[in-house]
Amino acid sequence: MTESVIAETTGARSDGELARPFAPSEGVSARSAHGGLVLKHRADGHLELRANGIFVMDTRETSTEKALATRALELHPEPRNVLIGGLGLGFTLEAALTDPRVEAVTVVEIEPRLVEWMRTGRIPHGPELLEDERIHIEVADVAVVLRESPAEAYDVVLLDVDNGPGYLVHDANGALYEAPALADARRATAPGGTVVVWSAAEAPALLEVMAQVFDGAEALSYPVDLQGHSETYWLYVGWLSSGGVSPRNGTN
């Protein structure tokens, strides 16, 4: 389900409504069918991404975005084909590409302007990152892509399309954390594969659902420093057995 951009400006208020323009050095914003999207250059030198006025991510704290990829890849002996739901600022993609075993990465991003900012250098590290020939980007709804994907198309599926089930940027994304969408992700994942979901807060109900959908599930907590405040982000891992053997290694 490709979304078209309705308007773009160079400024937005924190509540997501258009306001005074940023200077080019400060950032850009756009509006789409999903609301407002803001990419801001902060005074501390870092980029910050907001959607509908809600903080999504920045370039200062990227450990969990990278761990989303590295944790899943270490669980799989041959992660050739990877799907990433949500481009963000590209750090999950970057981490996936550092693994030489990865042969192809499909990135599904519903906001076309975010892809454009990455390609044109509004996100400075974007053009070099997207030069990797292993990348294929689809501007689409990841729930639809997973539903329509061939069975066992991917070895690893990584989902970071919202802040998690308890703090949604877009209400429609709530369905991604429920059994039908997770079952679509399982069907699209090959035996021995993993599906990992990022969350900004602990989500026991998500872990329970993933334990029902997959052959096993675990919750991993990661302490982070978010602009001087201590927070905890979470990764929820579901794995598919291969020949009756769980691919899980390591502990919580």
Side-chain angles (χ1 to χ4, degrees):
M1 182 172 63
T2 302
E3 300 295 343
S4 60
V5 170
I6 298 173
E8 180 175 3
T9 184
T10 54
R13 292 204 309 263
S14 60
D15 61 4
E17 295 299 324
L18 301 183
R20 72 166 181 84
F22 290 124
S25 62
E26 291 181 344
V28 290
S29 68
R31 294 194 66 83
S32 74
H34 289 85
L37 192 67
V38 177
L39 180 69
K40 183 176 181 179
H41 293 259
R42 295 199 311 242
D44 64 1
H46 288 279
L47 283 176
E48 177 178 302
L49 182 65
R50 286 178 173 263
N52 287 342
I54 299 174
F55 175 85
V56 177
M57 62 184 64
D58 63 15
T59 56
R60 177 180 177 181
E61 171 50 61
T62 63
S63 61
T64 54
E65 286 91 341
K66 295 175 180 177
L68 178 62
T70 56
R71 178 55 178 161
L73 294 173
E74 73 183 16
L75 290 171
H76 201 292
E78 297 182 43
R80 295 189 180 95
N81 295 304
V82 176
L83 180 140
I84 299 175
L87 174 60
L89 296 176
F91 293 105
T92 299
L93 172 60
E94 180 182 52
L97 293 172
T98 61
D99 192 319
R101 300 171 299 165
V102 173
E103 298 176 359
V105 182
T106 298
V107 181
V108 184
E109 171 55 54
I110 203 167
E111 292 286 2
R113 198 51 57 93
L114 184 56
V115 176
E116 178 186 322
W117 292 342
M118 185 74 73
R119 284 179 169 152
T120 60
R122 288 285 193 177
I123 299 170
H125 57 269
E128 183 178 359
L129 176 63
L130 297 187
E131 284 180 356
D132 195 304
E133 295 181 352
R134 291 173 292 173
I135 300 171
H136 169 68
I137 295 182
E138 290 192 37
V139 179
D141 185 333
V142 70
V144 175
V145 170
L146 288 170
R147 190 182 313 132
E148 296 178 351
S149 291
E152 303 179 7
Y154 306 102
D155 299 306
V156 173
V157 172
L158 309 173
L159 299 177
D160 183 11
V161 298
D162 211 303
N163 278 338
Y167 191 38
L168 293 171
V169 174
H170 302 293
D171 290 342
N173 286 337
L176 289 168
Y177 305 99
E178 298 175 354
L182 292 170
D184 288 334
R186 178 188 172 122
R187 186 192 57 79
T189 305
T194 52
V195 175
V196 186
V197 181
W198 187 94
S199 179
E202 189 173 10
L206 175 59
L207 179 61
E208 182 177 345
V209 172
M210 291 184 71
Q212 295 170 357
V213 171
F214 298 98
D215 297 326
E218 64 178 339
L220 304 172
S221 61
Y222 289 82
V224 297
D225 181 345
L226 191 62
Q227 299 181 46
H229 300 283
S230 296
E231 301 285 349
T232 301
Y233 289 161
W234 293 80
L235 300 181
Y236 289 88
V237 183
W239 63 83
L240 285 69
S241 63
S242 178
V245 178
S246 167
R248 180 187 181 199
N249 57 40
T251 58
N252 290 0

PDB file of all heavy atoms in Angstrom, residues 38 44-45 69 94 203 214 239:
ATOM      1  N   VAL A  38       8.993  14.772  10.675  1.00  0.00           N
ATOM      2  CA  VAL A  38       9.969  15.840  10.875  1.00  0.00           C
ATOM      3  C   VAL A  38      11.352  15.242  11.060  1.00  0.00           C
ATOM      4  O   VAL A  38      11.548  14.333  11.876  1.00  0.00           O
ATOM      5  CB  VAL A  38       9.622  16.699  12.111  1.00  0.00           C
ATOM      6  CG1 VAL A  38      10.697  17.757  12.351  1.00  0.00           C
ATOM      7  CG2 VAL A  38       8.256  17.357  11.937  1.00  0.00           C
ATOM      8  N   ASP A  44      22.774  19.761  19.495  1.00  0.00           N
ATOM      9  CA  ASP A  44      23.889  18.904  19.917  1.00  0.00           C
ATOM     10  C   ASP A  44      24.577  18.223  18.742  1.00  0.00           C
ATOM     11  O   ASP A  44      25.480  17.400  18.925  1.00  0.00           O
ATOM     12  CB  ASP A  44      23.420  17.862  20.929  1.00  0.00           C
ATOM     13  CG  ASP A  44      22.406  16.866  20.361  1.00  0.00           C
ATOM     14  OD1 ASP A  44      22.070  16.959  19.157  1.00  0.00           O
ATOM     15  OD2 ASP A  44      21.943  15.998  21.121  1.00  0.00           O
ATOM     16  N   GLY A  45      24.131  18.550  17.509  1.00  0.00           N
ATOM     17  CA  GLY A  45      24.769  17.991  16.327  1.00  0.00           C
ATOM     18  C   GLY A  45      24.150  16.724  15.809  1.00  0.00           C
ATOM     19  O   GLY A  45      24.584  16.201  14.775  1.00  0.00           O
ATOM     20  N   ALA A  69      19.174  -5.974  14.445  1.00  0.00           N
ATOM     21  CA  ALA A  69      19.751  -6.809  13.386  1.00  0.00           C
ATOM     22  C   ALA A  69      20.737  -7.820  13.937  1.00  0.00           C
ATOM     23  O   ALA A  69      20.670  -9.011  13.623  1.00  0.00           O
ATOM     24  CB  ALA A  69      20.431  -5.932  12.339  1.00  0.00           C
ATOM     25  N   GLU A  94      22.117  -0.716   8.287  1.00  0.00           N
ATOM     26  CA  GLU A  94      23.577  -0.669   8.315  1.00  0.00           C
ATOM     27  C   GLU A  94      24.152  -1.874   9.053  1.00  0.00           C
ATOM     28  O   GLU A  94      25.125  -2.502   8.600  1.00  0.00           O
ATOM     29  CB  GLU A  94      24.031   0.621   8.994  1.00  0.00           C
ATOM     30  CG  GLU A  94      25.538   0.798   9.077  1.00  0.00           C
ATOM     31  CD  GLU A  94      25.908   2.065   9.811  1.00  0.00           C
ATOM     32  OE1 GLU A  94      25.398   2.273  10.939  1.00  0.00           O
ATOM     33  OE2 GLU A  94      26.693   2.857   9.266  1.00  0.00           O
ATOM     34  N   ALA A 203       6.556  -5.103  26.897  1.00  0.00           N
ATOM     35  CA  ALA A 203       5.251  -5.474  26.342  1.00  0.00           C
ATOM     36  C   ALA A 203       4.987  -6.950  26.610  1.00  0.00           C
ATOM     37  O   ALA A 203       5.140  -7.793  25.719  1.00  0.00           O
ATOM     38  CB  ALA A 203       5.204  -5.169  24.851  1.00  0.00           C
ATOM     39  N   PHE A 214       5.114 -18.443  17.435  1.00  0.00           N
ATOM     40  CA  PHE A 214       6.401 -19.013  17.038  1.00  0.00           C
ATOM     41  C   PHE A 214       6.725 -20.243  17.880  1.00  0.00           C
ATOM     42  O   PHE A 214       6.051 -20.539  18.854  1.00  0.00           O
ATOM     43  CB  PHE A 214       7.498 -17.948  17.159  1.00  0.00           C
ATOM     44  CG  PHE A 214       7.270 -16.759  16.262  1.00  0.00           C
ATOM     45  CD1 PHE A 214       6.685 -15.598  16.752  1.00  0.00           C
ATOM     46  CD2 PHE A 214       7.609 -16.806  14.921  1.00  0.00           C
ATOM     47  CE1 PHE A 214       6.455 -14.506  15.929  1.00  0.00           C
ATOM     48  CE2 PHE A 214       7.382 -15.727  14.086  1.00  0.00           C
ATOM     49  CZ  PHE A 214       6.803 -14.575  14.586  1.00  0.00           C
ATOM     50  N   TRP A 239      11.390 -17.327  17.193  1.00  0.00           N
ATOM     51  CA  TRP A 239      12.182 -18.154  16.286  1.00  0.00           C
ATOM     52  C   TRP A 239      11.394 -19.360  15.811  1.00  0.00           C
ATOM     53  O   TRP A 239      10.448 -19.830  16.455  1.00  0.00           O
ATOM     54  CB  TRP A 239      13.502 -18.578  16.933  1.00  0.00           C
ATOM     55  CG  TRP A 239      13.384 -19.435  18.151  1.00  0.00           C
ATOM     56  CD1 TRP A 239      13.215 -20.788  18.207  1.00  0.00           C
ATOM     57  CD2 TRP A 239      13.425 -18.989  19.513  1.00  0.00           C
ATOM     58  NE1 TRP A 239      13.153 -21.214  19.496  1.00  0.00           N
ATOM     59  CE2 TRP A 239      13.290 -20.140  20.322  1.00  0.00           C
ATOM     60  CE3 TRP A 239      13.584 -17.742  20.115  1.00  0.00           C
ATOM     61  CZ2 TRP A 239      13.284 -20.061  21.719  1.00  0.00           C
ATOM     62  CZ3 TRP A 239      13.586 -17.682  21.502  1.00  0.00           C
ATOM     63  CH2 TRP A 239      13.443 -18.818  22.282  1.00  0.00           C
TER      64      TRP A 239
END
